[in-house]
Amino acid sequence: MRTRRRDVTLATNDVRIIARRRSTAIRSNGCSILYDLSLRHDSPSSADPPFSTAQGISALLDAEKEASKIVAKAREYRTQRIKDARGEASKEIEELKAKKDAEFKEFEGQHSGDSSTSQGALDKTTTDTLAKIKSSFEQNKSSVVDTLLERVVEVKAAPHRNYVKV
């Protein structure tokens, strides 16, 4: 925003002090508006007579009102920008959330699989393993029975290995 400069010719030093206080107050409101309210000494031959103290104070009050209007507009603009930013941020959050939900659904669909296919593969593996165990049993049944009977029937008489003669 462009600032306007205003020259106010004041008649006394008291008003100049007031003008400095007013300009400080305008700057302390957070606005970057600078009014030139300094004393200007006009020559006696000047066509414009110098302002009286009351006119200087009214000009100063007018400048203060204008500055407060500008500050109020700036606050409204800032508030509106904050509201707009919040709205845009919430829209972006919703879009990101929808995108991530879609990615999750896709991932879940790829990795979960159908339970009937998993069950079928498990059943096939189980039947194959059982068939191998049964065939191994049938092949080795007679040799295992013979080995067991031989060990049970045959007796070797020998002292125990821990036995020590005294």
Side-chain angles (χ1 to χ4, degrees):
M1 177 177 247
R2 189 173 177 193
T3 59
R4 292 187 339 196
R5 298 193 70 132
R6 180 181 284 183
D7 290 328
V8 178
T9 304
L10 302 173
T12 65
N13 284 335
D14 295 336
V15 177
R16 182 175 182 186
I17 293 169
I18 293 171
R20 283 185 183 161
R21 286 186 186 150
R22 294 295 183 190
S23 65
T24 302
I26 290 170
R27 272 188 258 124
S28 70
N29 282 335
C31 190
S32 61
I33 301 168
L34 185 62
Y35 287 95
D36 187 9
L37 298 172
S38 61
L39 261 176
R40 183 173 56 193
H41 179 55
D42 291 335
S43 63
S45 63
S46 174
D48 295 332
F51 288 117
S52 69
T53 303
Q55 287 174 334
I57 291 174
S58 67
L60 186 62
L61 291 174
D62 289 341
E64 185 179 0
K65 286 179 185 177
E66 185 178 339
S68 66
K69 286 179 185 178
I70 292 171
V71 168
K73 282 184 182 179
R75 284 183 182 151
E76 287 178 23
Y77 177 71
R78 187 187 77 183
T79 305
Q80 187 62 38
R81 277 191 11 219
I82 289 172
K83 287 179 183 177
D84 293 343
R86 283 183 184 155
E88 290 176 15
S90 65
K91 286 178 185 177
E92 288 179 13
I93 289 170
E94 290 298 323
E95 290 173 2
L96 183 63
K97 187 176 180 181
K99 180 182 172 185
K100 291 296 180 182
D101 283 343
E103 287 177 8
F104 176 72
K105 294 285 185 190
E106 181 181 335
F107 177 81
E108 189 178 40
Q110 290 175 352
H111 292 88
S112 68
D114 190 13
S115 64
S116 63
T117 59
S118 301
Q119 187 65 36
L122 184 63
D123 288 342
K124 184 180 180 216
T125 306
T126 305
T127 55
D128 290 344
T129 306
L130 285 175
K132 287 179 185 177
I133 290 171
K134 283 184 182 180
S135 67
S136 175
F137 172 74
E138 291 298 327
Q139 288 175 356
N140 299 322
K141 173 171 66 170
S142 61
S143 66
V144 170
V145 169
D146 290 341
T147 306
L148 280 173
L149 285 175
E150 182 182 317
R151 296 289 178 166
V152 170
V153 173
E154 182 182 320
V155 177
K156 293 183 183 177
H160 194 271
R161 63 180 173 199
N162 291 335
Y163 177 70
V164 178
K165 288 184 180 182
V166 208

